[in-house]
Amino acid sequence: MIPHIEKQSLDEIKAFQELKLQEVLQYVNANSVYYKNLFQENNIDLSKINTLEDLQLIPTTTKEEIQKNNDDFLCVPTHKIIDFATTSGTLGDPVTFGLTDNDLDRLAYNEAISFDCAGIKEGDIVQLMTTMDRRFMAGLAYFLGLRKMKVGVIRVGAGIPELQWDSILKYKPTYLITVPSFLLKLIEYADSHGIDYNNLGIKGAICIGESLRNQDFTNSILADKIASKWNIKLFSTYASTEMSTAFTECEHGVGGHHHPELIIVEVLDDENKPVKEGESGELTITTIGVEAMPLIRFKTGDIVKLHTNACMCGRKTLRVGPVVGRKQQMIKYKGTTLYPPAMNEVLNDFDNIENYLIQIYNNDLGTDEIVVKIVVKNPSEGFLAEVKDHFRAKLRVAPRIELVSKEVLNPIVFNPMNRKPTRFIDLRK
């Protein structure tokens, strides 16, 4: 089910996208108050934007601009909106994304070709361990995509290992969709209840919200911990509400595949210029085929690297590597630049750490300060020193580390109102 365009050369894909770009620019100019004003205020002649490189003539769009002008991005009347999804806003209030009937069809197609990357086929059964409510787009997208593929879906939702295992034993799914750290909780429950999870026919798990790979595509510590116990294939997928598009790994695990029919991607530096090939920068996207709220040069806030060598699966599209970190979560600590995912990796190295939370705030000098709160299974006198030494070895610096009880930390990390575990809280002003 690999779409024809994904097997074409990069030059052919670029030519295809340049035709689509002209269509989407004309569409937003005619229907989006925000983009029509943006083009007028910046004296942008759309007839001169013919190549992907010409996109640099258009200013970027940020989440703050969507939040301040939410309704002006809408290209259809409200009565055409079928689904209302929201994403957290940087200024406090959530940002609303409306989807038309056509947008939901596009979302289903995106997930169908993405899940196909991961090997899901008609006849499989998938256990969905993420929420479909609370205006969350991803759970709905997964369901629509699997339905389009004629794949069975068990909608269990998030959490509750006992209920998950009850469904697995009863309905025998072949794939799971989950936050990967939750797989460790399932393993722990199964081990203590005598469940032989390696002989239940589960082929793989599509994992969201947490990284499975290092920048060189070797397994992260989290992925290794899961793989050491459970013989299933792990697939990483990256998406966001704003993109309405996913980048999902194939069986070769070398980055999330780009769907050129659905999205144009750029990777930009701090001056909004394209980075050199092989360098990391902020993923910036232009959606294709979105009817209600298309976005032009939207800065996702995620720092990534693109990979353009052909994949062994037959797709010739570029691939998005593991997210290095969120741009706004970058920490300057004692002369070292850090992102939370790198600290997660250090903490995941310790089986004795049951749970953790990273907090960052401004100290009296106005510089970044880090405190890591950890729940430890078997506390010992030298354990904190061991953790600090490991931080120094891996990241060259060691934050302040505090022991706390799981009664204090678990409700914060596993807040039922949040869509995935909260591992990082930024208290900087």
Side-chain angles (χ1 to χ4, degrees):
M1 190 183 161
I2 301 176
H4 176 71
I5 187 62
E6 297 189 18
K7 294 180 178 179
Q8 302 303 297
S9 70
L10 289 176
D11 285 342
E12 289 169 313
I13 289 170
K14 182 175 185 287
F16 168 85
Q17 289 211 304
E18 287 170 347
L19 290 174
K20 293 294 180 183
L21 174 61
Q22 292 171 48
E23 290 174 16
V24 73
L25 290 176
Q26 294 300 330
Y27 179 78
V28 296
N29 192 44
N31 297 287
S32 165
V33 171
Y34 180 83
Y35 283 114
K36 186 172 186 176
N37 290 340
L38 183 77
F39 298 156
Q40 286 177 348
E41 288 164 10
N42 290 275
N43 298 314
I44 292 168
D45 181 354
L46 294 184
S47 68
K48 292 182 177 172
I49 298 176
N50 299 304
T51 68
L52 298 188
E53 290 79 11
D54 293 339
L55 268 172
Q56 292 165 52
L57 299 170
I58 301 175
T60 57
T61 298
T62 64
K63 198 163 191 173
E64 288 86 350
E65 283 155 349
I66 301 176
Q67 197 159 10
K68 288 175 187 170
N69 309 280
N70 207 165
D71 292 346
D72 288 350
F73 280 85
L74 204 60
C75 290
V76 297
T78 308
H79 71 266
K80 293 267 192 180
I81 302 297
I82 302 297
D83 185 72
F84 293 84
T86 57
T87 181
S88 57
T90 53
L91 303 176
D93 293 330
V95 177
T96 299
F97 281 82
L99 290 92
T100 65
D101 202 40
N102 287 335
D103 289 337
L104 290 173
D105 286 343
R106 177 192 175 283
L107 198 60
Y109 175 71
N110 158 70
E111 293 299 343
I113 59 177
S114 296
F115 288 143
D116 186 77
C117 282
I120 296 176
K121 304 291 180 193
E122 183 177 347
D124 279 313
I125 298 173
V126 176
Q127 186 147 316
L128 188 52
M129 300 180 176
T130 65
T131 182
M132 280 182 63
D133 56 9
R134 300 181 197 148
R135 307 192 301 255
F136 184 30
M137 182 188 281
L140 175 65
Y142 302 147
F143 175 77
L144 292 174
L146 293 167
R147 177 175 179 261
K148 184 176 181 66
M149 299 174 82
K150 297 183 170 57
V151 166
V153 186
I154 312 160
R155 294 179 293 107
V156 182
I160 320 174
E162 183 178 0
L163 179 58
Q164 303 289 355
W165 280 118
D166 178 68
S167 293
I168 290 169
L169 295 169
K170 189 175 291 182
Y171 303 115
K172 298 180 172 51
T174 46
Y175 286 87
L176 313 173
I177 300 176
T178 182
V179 174
S181 58
F182 185 63
L183 291 173
L184 292 176
K185 292 193 173 299
L186 287 183
I187 289 167
E188 188 179 337
Y189 183 93
D191 284 342
S192 63
H193 289 79
I195 297 170
D196 184 7
Y197 43 87
N198 276 310
N199 287 297
L200 293 176
I202 297 173
K203 300 175 195 171
I206 288 78
C207 296
I208 63 168
E210 294 169 333
S211 182
L212 292 174
R213 311 281 175 239
N214 300 314
Q215 289 301 311
D216 63 357
F217 298 120
T218 55
N219 276 355
S220 68
I221 292 160
L222 177 58
D224 272 340
K225 278 189 174 181
I226 296 163
S228 70
K229 299 281 286 184
W230 201 345
N231 185 28
I232 55 174
K233 187 83 175 165
L234 301 175
F235 297 91
S236 193
T237 187
Y238 164 74
S240 72
T241 301
E242 294 90 351
M243 298 192 298
S244 289
T245 310
F247 296 82
T248 303
E249 287 182 336
C250 67
E251 69 272 21
H252 301 289
V254 288
H257 281 281
H258 173 220
H259 301 313
E261 302 161 89
L262 304 178
I263 201 163
I264 295 167
V265 298
E266 304 171 80
V267 175
L268 304 179
D269 63 18
D270 290 339
E271 276 74 53
N272 292 332
K273 304 292 185 198
V275 299
K276 294 187 178 73
E277 190 169 344
E279 289 185 357
S280 297
E282 185 171 3
L283 184 69
T284 301
I285 59 97
T286 297
T287 53
I288 296 172
V290 171
E291 188 173 41
M293 273 186 69
L295 295 176
I296 310 298
R297 302 199 82 205
F298 172 74
K299 297 176 74 175
T300 63
D302 290 322
I303 306 298
V304 303
K305 188 187 295 184
L306 297 183
H307 299 265
T308 55
N309 55 312
C311 184
M312 289 184 285
C313 70
R315 295 172 181 85
K316 301 224 175 96
T317 51
L318 59 82
R319 300 181 312 286
V320 174
V323 174
V324 176
R326 294 281 297 165
K327 187 172 183 180
Q328 70 189 87
Q329 291 178 352
M330 187 183 83
I331 305 159
K332 280 285 190 183
Y333 187 64
K334 297 179 181 177
T336 298
T337 299
L338 297 175
Y339 287 100
M343 291 189 280
N344 293 344
E345 278 293 283
V346 173
L347 294 161
N348 285 335
D349 248 343
F350 293 92
D351 290 331
N352 199 21
I353 294 178
E354 190 175 311
N355 200 359
Y356 63 86
L357 176 70
I358 300 162
Q359 288 184 329
I360 179 169
Y361 59 93
N362 299 122
N363 61 24
D364 294 339
L365 300 173
T367 57
D368 292 347
E369 201 64 57
I370 306 167
V371 59
V372 178
K373 300 186 177 185
I374 61 173
V375 178
V376 177
K377 295 176 190 172
N378 301 300
S380 66
E381 209 169 285
F383 185 65
L384 287 187
E386 188 184 339
V387 175
K388 283 200 163 203
D389 285 346
H390 197 54
F391 264 100
R392 289 189 191 98
K394 293 285 188 180
L395 303 178
R396 301 199 302 273
V397 290
R400 192 169 96 237
I401 299 172
E402 294 178 359
L403 283 175
V404 295
S405 69
K406 62 182 176 184
E407 288 75 20
V408 168
L409 205 59
N410 285 10
I412 301 170
V413 175
F414 303 114
N415 185 335
M417 296 308 294
N418 293 340
R419 296 162 181 175
K420 50 195 174 191
T422 301
R423 297 282 182 202
F424 179 78
I425 295 178
D426 194 341
L427 301 171
R428 291 175 292 186
K429 293 183 176 62

